[in-house]
Amino acid sequence: MPDLDERLLELLQHDGRASYSELASAASVSRAAVATRLNTLIGTSAVRVVAAVHPEFLGLQAYAHVSIHTAGPAGDTIPALVALPAAVFVSAVSGEHDLVVELRLPDQRELYATVA
């Protein structure tokens, strides 16, 4: 069922949270057909189910996207940023800034303290 597989993948790329019933309706097939194909695709690792917890669910209500310009080599600063428990993303970039870090913390007070 390559055509159905392709259609299901397309639909899931558009809405990864779609139910089997929604996928069946959009693909004009039965719910059972969708369940069978997706179980096969998951079993062969062609489709992988992953989950991401919303940060607020974890009590992380303050976040910042911080652009950093370093005085020396940016690589010297990366280990310190990666070591921050609040840093969920650290990237060396080109342009005006050398590094970008995303921070997530429980509140603004902790966010300000971490940035300082």
Side-chain angles (χ1 to χ4, degrees):
M1 297 188 149
D3 292 336
L4 178 57
D5 291 355
E6 290 175 18
R7 180 68 177 137
L8 290 174
L9 292 175
E10 176 184 300
L11 291 166
L12 287 169
Q13 286 173 341
H14 178 71
D15 181 5
R17 296 175 54 128
S19 68
Y20 283 7
S21 296
E22 292 168 334
L23 294 170
S25 177
S28 301
V29 297
S30 70
R31 185 189 179 288
V34 168
T36 299
R37 289 312 305 151
L38 286 179
N39 286 337
T40 299
L41 292 170
I42 291 168
T44 62
S45 298
V47 170
R48 196 169 44 128
V49 178
V50 295
V53 177
H54 193 285
E56 287 185 16
F57 183 77
L58 300 173
L60 304 174
Q61 298 185 7
Y63 64 93
H65 181 262
V66 182
S67 298
I68 301 169
H69 177 76
T70 60
D76 294 346
T77 307
I78 292 173
L81 293 172
V82 170
L84 292 173
V88 296
F89 177 80
V90 177
S91 181
V93 296
S94 62
E96 183 178 341
H97 297 95
D98 303 309
L99 302 167
V100 171
V101 61
E102 181 179 331
L103 303 172
R104 293 195 180 267
L105 292 125
D107 56 44
Q108 293 292 331
R109 182 181 53 74
E110 289 188 48
L111 174 62
Y112 293 145
T114 300
V115 170

